[in-house]
Amino acid sequence: MIWPTIFLGLTLQVLLVFGARYPKNLHIWPMPESVEYGNKTIFLSKDFQLKTDGSKYADASGILKDGFTRLLDVITASNVIESNFSKVDESVLLQGVHVIVLSKDDELQYGVDESYELSIHPKGKPIYANIKAATVYGALHALQTFSQLCHFNLKRRKLEVSQIPWTITDRPRFAFRGLLIDTSRHYQPLPMIKKVIDSMAYAKLNVLHWHIVDTQSFPLEIPSYPKLWDGAYSLSERYTVAVAADIVKQVKEPLDISNAFTFKLIDGVLSDFSKIFKYKFVHLGGDEVDTSCWSSTPHIKEWLKQQGLNASQAYEYFVLNAQKIALLGSGVAERVVAAGLRCIVSNQDAWYLDHLSTTWQEFYTNEPLTNITNPTQQKLVIGGEVCMWGEHIDGSDIEQTIWPRAAAAAERLWTHPDKLAKTPKDVTSRLSHFRCLLNQRGVAAAPLDGPGRVAPIEPGSCYTQ
Amino acid sequence: MIWPTIFLGLTLQVLLVFGARYPKNLHIWPMPESVEYGNKTIFLSKDFQLKTDGSKYADASGILKDGFTRLLDVITASNVIESNFSKVDESVLLQGVHVIVLSKDDELQYGVDESYELSIHPKGKPIYANIKAATVYGALHALQTFSQLCHFNLKRRKLEVSQIPWTITDRPRFAFRGLLIDTSRHYQPLPMIKKVIDSMAYAKLNVLHWHIVDTQSFPLEIPSYPKLWDGAYSLSERYTVAVAADIVKQVKEPLDISNAFTFKLIDGVLSDFSKIFKYKFVHLGGDEVDTSCWSSTPHIKEWLKQQGLNASQAYEYFVLNAQKIALLGSGVAERVVAAGLRCIVSNQDAWYLDHLSTTWQEFYTNEPLTNITNPTQQKLVIGGEVCMWGEHIDGSDIEQTIWPRAAAAAERLWTHPDKLAKTPKDVTSRLSHFRCLLNQRGVAAAPLDGPGRVAPIEPGSCYTQ
């Protein structure tokens, strides 16, 4: 009876010596830059707390506090915690997370520092999980990683963190890790969009590219052009400015949303104008564009203020942006960066979620820097984006069409190349674990075993499908 | 310009004269027994309240209060209410719902009175929506109906109730209106089951038939048989007693759940025993059944107390029940009721949700009393059940496989025969409206236009697909 135990002990030793080469029982998605762990278990206190002593960040807007509340929600979502915690010895009790943020500033902008350190060591009483981050957005990523370390212990009826001590240092490979949703081909109700944003944060995606309007419908309210959203499919299939602002406000993981949102908003207005006003916009002088709506839209106004731009400067910025950043497929990307332009990789053949025949393995192996070897040119690839075009997507099928395939791309965009699997089958078990985690959090992620949005082929465990 | 208005006015008059023969703009699902309405509009107060003056029901367990909270959640889910209500004249301001329940008792049992009256008249200041019900469960149905009368007014940025005055009297045709879910072929995480229960209430289904265990897996904890749930697919694909109790607790629309749940629990244990103990249970003496788990399971214990049964009497009750009530297809049903036995209609050819080729039209037209003309025999048909067998259903696809087809069956089971559509196409617009309402509440109901769980065929409005 004693041999298996000892053998297990040896195994763990070996793993530790080799600095954790990610065995089957490591279930973090996307994989952090560096992970070390042990073999002890600790239990979350029933009054699990957020502690910020020594942090420079004041959290005036409650970004961190809200993130902590969401953490508690997700780790308790799939079970009922019923046990009497007072029974547990303090030496195995985790009292909370101690978050230290180095920057006072929480302005959201492209390239914000998203790095973090997360360590859980059974030292000191009471014991805290220690998070150190340059910005509050790094701290939010750390909370997401922490949430994946928490499990429900069926014997003790407690939330536990096993495999401690943990030492994790992490940062994204690419600054722009996007998901495009399309609310023109089909309207997406507010609750669906909010769920998509929450689930993006679980996979550390950080840009919601909201393709609000297109030929098919114009669901967005533009205060200075009140007739525009008469182009919506129906009265109820519309987004008021307040709803749009609410969606932006809810985006507290580092989604570069004001930027993406505003940019897309203008993009939408212009492209729509070009249809309404019969190609008046072939020459974009700018003088024909009434930009007053920006200053009358609270969150855009706020964003303009932060940027120190007036409306027409902003318009110039957008046009320049449109020229500077291009959404491109691989192959094209090499030529664009060779020309000194920035780009975001988003190739149809691998990263279009509406292509149901594209498997998660193809999403995983799509490398943004394919054939781009020059370091200067590599820096011009600021990231990538998976696209959920809406021709056949509405509120009934968006979640399982996005997940788990978007998660495969998310690891490609987040994880350091050395830590990426050489072959997708090396991550199948970890990705299916993440997919089941999404289900446990109420997100309808589809089985891995098949193409996009596939139903389970036969009865069985979530972890095998 | 004035003619269309007048014509509209006339149309409404005609409708009223003929006592509302349910025109296109009446969007209540399932259709109540009797509905009258007008053409005025009223706006919900920003401090919309629950008033219970004169009610005999004390609401000690907060059933009504929780129902009112859920009402506020669903009517505000899809929009951001931003307007200044003080601008509105009190004469068009709806201050809240005034609920009067006649029975002190809120014990859940088969055949509980679910009838209600809901009237909204622009009389008295402040104005209230008046709900009168025999039991709190009828009142909860009234709140569901009321929620379907609320819309977001884009001009005023307020929640409105149009078409007042409303006078609705309503009660179910059948007492048992069930949905079966199967957590043995695939595990369903707690958040999924809770969402299913909420959405059932929207359609006034009142029995969750939880097929917990079967050959494939045994996810439920049975305290007196701690090894049983080793038959679960995995450690995390399990329901603790606390989770099961939480699911039962959450069921506050009149789901006859303790009954259904307990019955199914025993059923599951027995059928599983028969496999474990090699057919020892071919003769069910009862003495071989250890029923201690019932008394050790809080909510079952409570239910036994309410029934005034001890464990072995309860066992007897279950066996008798198993003999008295049968789940049957049409055709079989007529023979069973002819033999004087009660039955619940649930025929494969029309009410199995896992049969994707069965359309909502077939779900709608499936009549439980087919070929049963004798009134005494008709009374023996206590209702029906749609079945979501789990071979190809997991957390990723349960919602769109259930909805909207289960809603079609729900109207068949709820609505008085005189008010049922003679042909499904008469309700297409109203059902698609209900489907879009489900989407707006975050439920992934599929388009009507096609078989089960179909994706939208092309870009377009939710209301046309």
Side-chain angles (χ1 to χ4, degrees):
Chain A
M1 284 303 285
I2 198 165
W3 288 103
T5 320
I6 287 172
F7 180 73
L8 182 65
L10 288 171
T11 320
L12 283 166
Q13 286 313 318
V14 175
L15 293 174
L16 291 171
V17 169
F18 288 93
R21 274 260 139 263
Y22 309 136
K24 282 202 171 46
N25 62 348
L26 183 69
H27 293 304
I28 304 171
W29 193 280
M31 182 59 75
E33 185 171 64
S34 151
V35 179
E36 285 179 9
Y37 61 95
N39 56 4
K40 291 193 174 55
T41 295
I42 196 167
F43 299 98
L44 273 66
S45 163
K46 113 178 130 216
D47 58 343
F48 192 75
Q49 297 158 351
L50 171 65
K51 190 171 122 181
T52 57
D53 310 9
S55 178
K56 298 211 169 38
Y57 178 63
D59 198 25
S61 42
I63 296 174
L64 186 59
K65 237 174 83 281
D66 294 349
F68 182 75
T69 306
R70 287 197 302 278
L71 167 72
L72 296 181
D73 290 345
V74 295
I75 62 180
T76 56
S78 60
N79 271 289
V80 176
I81 317 302
E82 40 173 337
S83 67
N84 175 357
F85 286 80
S86 59
K87 285 197 201 116
V88 182
D89 181 306
E90 207 186 23
S91 66
V92 292
L93 195 63
L94 189 63
Q95 193 54 55
V97 284
H98 183 186
V99 178
I100 294 180
V101 174
L102 304 176
S103 166
K104 291 184 171 58
D105 185 19
D106 59 14
E107 190 184 319
L108 257 181
Q109 55 193 1
Y110 166 70
V112 63
D113 189 325
E114 301 178 61
S115 67
Y116 69 89
E117 289 170 36
L118 167 63
S119 63
I120 311 174
H121 293 269
K123 293 175 196 153
K125 297 188 177 182
I127 303 167
Y128 280 86
N130 295 301
I131 289 171
K132 199 172 285 177
T135 72
V136 64
Y137 302 110
L140 292 175
H141 285 315
L143 292 178
Q144 291 293 346
T145 302
F146 177 80
S147 76
Q148 294 190 31
L149 304 181
C150 298
H151 310 281
F152 183 72
N153 179 308
L154 284 164
K155 278 225 180 76
R156 306 274 215 118
R157 309 301 162 115
K158 294 171 180 58
L159 284 168
E160 70 174 21
V161 176
S162 58
Q163 301 169 280
I164 70 159
W166 284 97
T167 307
I168 298 173
T169 61
D170 202 7
R171 63 192 169 124
R173 179 184 176 200
F174 293 103
F176 189 109
R177 307 178 305 278
L179 167 67
L180 177 145
I181 62 169
D182 169 3
T183 56
S184 171
R185 278 57 181 250
H186 287 93
Y187 179 82
Q188 289 288 348
L190 180 57
M192 307 301 182
I193 297 179
K194 287 185 165 185
K195 272 188 84 179
V196 166
I197 292 170
D198 285 340
S199 53
M200 284 174 70
Y202 303 154
K204 298 190 170 73
L205 291 172
N206 72 340
V207 179
L208 177 69
H209 180 161
W210 188 3
H211 189 82
I212 304 179
V213 305
D214 207 314
T215 328
Q216 287 81 354
S217 77
F218 197 100
L220 181 69
E221 174 184 30
I222 308 291
S224 55
Y225 296 93
K227 282 192 161 32
L228 275 180
W229 70 348
D230 295 348
Y233 282 130
S234 70
L235 272 175
S236 67
E237 290 168 295
R238 300 181 180 200
Y239 305 106
T240 63
V241 167
V243 164
D246 184 50
I247 287 169
V248 172
K249 196 172 103 284
Q250 198 228 356
V251 182
K252 286 299 174 225
E253 308 296 331
L255 300 201
D256 193 2
I257 182 96
S258 274
N259 187 324
F261 171 76
T262 315
F263 180 70
K264 278 295 125 187
L265 166 59
I266 303 315
D267 182 32
V269 173
L270 292 182
S271 64
D272 197 272
F273 280 1
S274 66
K275 290 164 209 108
I276 295 167
F277 300 122
K278 304 215 175 57
Y279 305 105
K280 263 191 191 165
F281 283 91
V282 170
H283 29 199
L284 277 171
D287 52 352
E288 287 167 300
V289 186
D290 181 341
T291 55
S292 60
C293 60
W294 307 345
S295 17
S296 67
T297 307
H299 70 280
I300 300 179
K301 197 172 170 184
E302 177 52 30
W303 182 87
L304 291 173
K305 220 181 82 201
Q306 288 171 4
Q307 305 301 317
L309 299 171
N310 64 33
S312 62
Q313 289 169 318
Y315 177 69
E316 199 177 307
Y317 168 92
F318 295 127
V319 175
L320 290 174
N321 244 350
Q323 293 161 355
K324 277 211 311 256
I325 307 182
L327 269 172
L328 297 165
S330 58
V332 192
E334 335 169 14
R335 297 200 298 279
V336 168
V337 294
L341 298 173
R342 293 195 292 171
C343 78
I344 296 158
V345 170
S346 178
N347 38 318
Q348 284 198 35
D349 55 322
W351 279 1
Y352 273 26
L353 292 156
D354 49 312
H355 293 197
L356 296 181
S357 58
T358 310
T359 63
W360 71 263
Q361 290 90 343
E362 294 169 280
F363 273 77
Y364 191 89
T365 50
N366 185 50
E367 171 51 46
L369 298 187
T370 304
N371 301 332
I372 303 174
T373 50
N374 172 321
T376 321
Q377 293 181 13
Q378 287 180 339
K379 285 193 185 56
L380 292 171
V381 179
I382 66 172
E385 180 170 282
V386 290
C387 299
M388 183 68 284
W389 295 110
E391 279 78 359
H392 305 288
I393 306 299
D394 62 14
S396 73
D397 56 0
I398 188 168
E399 285 189 340
Q400 55 273 66
T401 316
I402 291 175
W403 307 108
R405 294 179 303 158
E411 178 153 298
R412 171 65 51 177
L413 288 166
W414 174 273
T415 301
H416 190 283
D418 303 349
K419 294 292 164 71
L420 285 167
K422 304 286 162 277
T423 153
K425 72 169 164 25
D426 298 345
V427 298
T428 306
S429 141
R430 189 162 48 88
L431 181 56
S432 76
H433 202 279
F434 183 72
R435 176 249 164 169
C436 299
L437 183 71
L438 289 174
N439 286 177
Q440 287 157 22
R441 295 177 177 185
V443 179
L448 274 63
D449 192 6
R453 203 170 64 199
V454 71
I457 295 155
E458 55 183 9
S461 168
C462 177
Y463 298 97
T464 65
Q465 301 190 310
Chain B
M1 285 298 287
I2 197 165
W3 288 103
T5 321
I6 288 171
F7 181 72
L8 181 67
L10 288 172
T11 319
L12 283 165
Q13 287 313 319
V14 175
L15 294 174
L16 291 171
V17 170
F18 287 93
R21 273 261 139 263
Y22 309 135
K24 279 200 174 44
N25 62 348
L26 183 69
H27 293 305
I28 304 172
W29 192 279
M31 182 60 75
E33 186 171 63
S34 151
V35 178
E36 285 180 11
Y37 61 94
N39 56 5
K40 290 195 174 55
T41 295
I42 195 165
F43 300 98
L44 273 66
S45 162
K46 115 179 128 219
D47 58 343
F48 192 76
Q49 297 159 350
L50 171 65
K51 190 171 120 180
T52 56
D53 310 8
S55 180
K56 295 209 169 39
Y57 178 63
D59 199 25
S61 42
I63 295 175
L64 186 60
K65 238 173 85 281
D66 295 348
F68 182 74
T69 305
R70 289 197 302 278
L71 167 73
L72 296 181
D73 290 345
V74 296
I75 62 180
T76 56
S78 61
N79 272 289
V80 176
I81 316 303
E82 39 171 338
S83 67
N84 175 357
F85 287 81
S86 58
K87 287 198 200 117
V88 183
D89 181 305
E90 206 186 23
S91 66
V92 291
L93 196 63
L94 189 63
Q95 193 55 54
V97 284
H98 183 185
V99 178
I100 293 179
V101 175
L102 303 177
S103 166
K104 289 185 173 59
D105 184 19
D106 59 15
E107 189 185 320
L108 257 181
Q109 55 192 3
Y110 166 69
V112 64
D113 189 324
E114 302 178 61
S115 67
Y116 69 88
E117 289 171 35
L118 167 62
S119 64
I120 311 174
H121 293 268
K123 292 175 197 154
K125 297 187 177 183
I127 303 168
Y128 281 86
N130 294 301
I131 290 172
K132 198 171 287 178
T135 72
V136 64
Y137 302 111
L140 291 174
H141 285 315
L143 292 178
Q144 291 293 347
T145 301
F146 176 80
S147 76
Q148 294 190 31
L149 303 182
C150 297
H151 311 281
F152 183 71
N153 179 308
L154 284 163
K155 278 227 180 75
R156 305 276 214 116
R157 308 301 159 118
K158 293 171 181 57
L159 283 169
E160 71 173 20
V161 176
S162 58
Q163 300 170 279
I164 69 160
W166 285 96
T167 307
I168 298 174
T169 60
D170 201 7
R171 61 191 171 125
R173 179 184 177 200
F174 292 103
F176 189 110
R177 307 177 304 279
L179 167 67
L180 176 145
I181 62 169
D182 170 5
T183 56
S184 171
R185 279 56 182 248
H186 287 93
Y187 179 81
Q188 289 289 348
L190 180 57
M192 307 301 181
I193 296 179
K194 287 186 167 184
K195 273 188 83 179
V196 166
I197 292 170
D198 285 340
S199 52
M200 283 173 70
Y202 303 154
K204 299 191 170 75
L205 291 172
N206 72 341
V207 179
L208 177 69
H209 179 160
W210 188 3
H211 189 82
I212 304 179
V213 303
D214 208 313
T215 328
Q216 288 82 353
S217 76
F218 196 98
L220 181 69
E221 173 184 30
I222 307 291
S224 54
Y225 298 92
K227 282 190 160 33
L228 275 180
W229 71 348
D230 294 350
Y233 282 130
S234 70
L235 274 174
S236 66
E237 290 169 294
R238 300 181 180 200
Y239 305 106
T240 62
V241 167
V243 164
D246 184 50
I247 287 170
V248 172
K249 197 171 103 282
Q250 197 227 357
V251 181
K252 287 299 175 222
E253 308 297 331
L255 300 201
D256 195 1
I257 183 91
S258 274
N259 188 324
F261 171 78
T262 315
F263 181 70
K264 278 295 127 187
L265 166 60
I266 303 318
D267 182 33
V269 174
L270 292 183
S271 64
D272 197 87
F273 281 3
S274 66
K275 287 161 210 113
I276 296 168
F277 300 122
K278 304 214 176 60
Y279 305 107
K280 265 192 189 163
F281 282 90
V282 171
H283 28 200
L284 278 170
D287 51 350
E288 286 167 297
V289 186
D290 180 341
T291 55
S292 59
C293 61
W294 307 346
S295 18
S296 68
T297 307
H299 71 279
I300 299 179
K301 195 172 170 184
E302 176 50 30
W303 182 85
L304 291 173
K305 218 181 83 201
Q306 289 173 3
Q307 305 301 316
L309 299 172
N310 64 33
S312 61
Q313 289 169 318
Y315 178 70
E316 197 177 307
Y317 168 91
F318 295 125
V319 176
L320 290 174
N321 245 349
Q323 292 163 353
K324 279 208 317 248
I325 306 180
L327 269 172
L328 297 166
S330 59
V332 191
E334 27 183 315
R335 294 200 300 279
V336 169
V337 294
L341 299 172
R342 293 194 293 170
C343 78
I344 296 159
V345 171
S346 179
N347 39 318
Q348 283 198 35
D349 56 320
W351 278 2
Y352 274 26
L353 292 156
D354 50 313
H355 294 198
L356 296 182
S357 58
T358 309
T359 63
W360 71 264
Q361 291 90 343
E362 295 169 279
F363 273 77
Y364 190 90
T365 50
N366 185 49
E367 171 51 48
L369 297 188
T370 304
N371 301 332
I372 303 174
T373 49
N374 174 319
T376 321
Q377 293 180 13
Q378 288 180 337
K379 283 192 185 55
L380 292 170
V381 179
I382 65 172
E385 179 170 283
V386 290
C387 299
M388 182 69 283
W389 294 110
E391 280 78 0
H392 305 287
I393 305 298
D394 63 13
S396 73
D397 57 0
I398 187 168
E399 283 189 341
Q400 55 273 68
T401 316
I402 291 175
W403 307 109
R405 293 179 303 158
E411 178 153 298
R412 172 65 50 177
L413 288 166
W414 175 274
T415 300
H416 190 283
D418 303 349
K419 294 294 165 68
L420 286 168
K422 304 285 161 282
T423 152
K425 70 167 165 25
D426 296 345
V427 299
T428 306
S429 142
R430 188 162 49 87
L431 181 57
S432 77
H433 201 278
F434 183 71
R435 176 250 164 167
C436 300
L437 183 71
L438 288 173
N439 287 177
Q440 287 157 20
R441 295 175 178 188
V443 179
L448 275 62
D449 192 5
R453 203 170 64 201
V454 71
I457 294 155
E458 56 183 10
S461 167
C462 177
Y463 298 96
T464 64
Q465 302 191 310

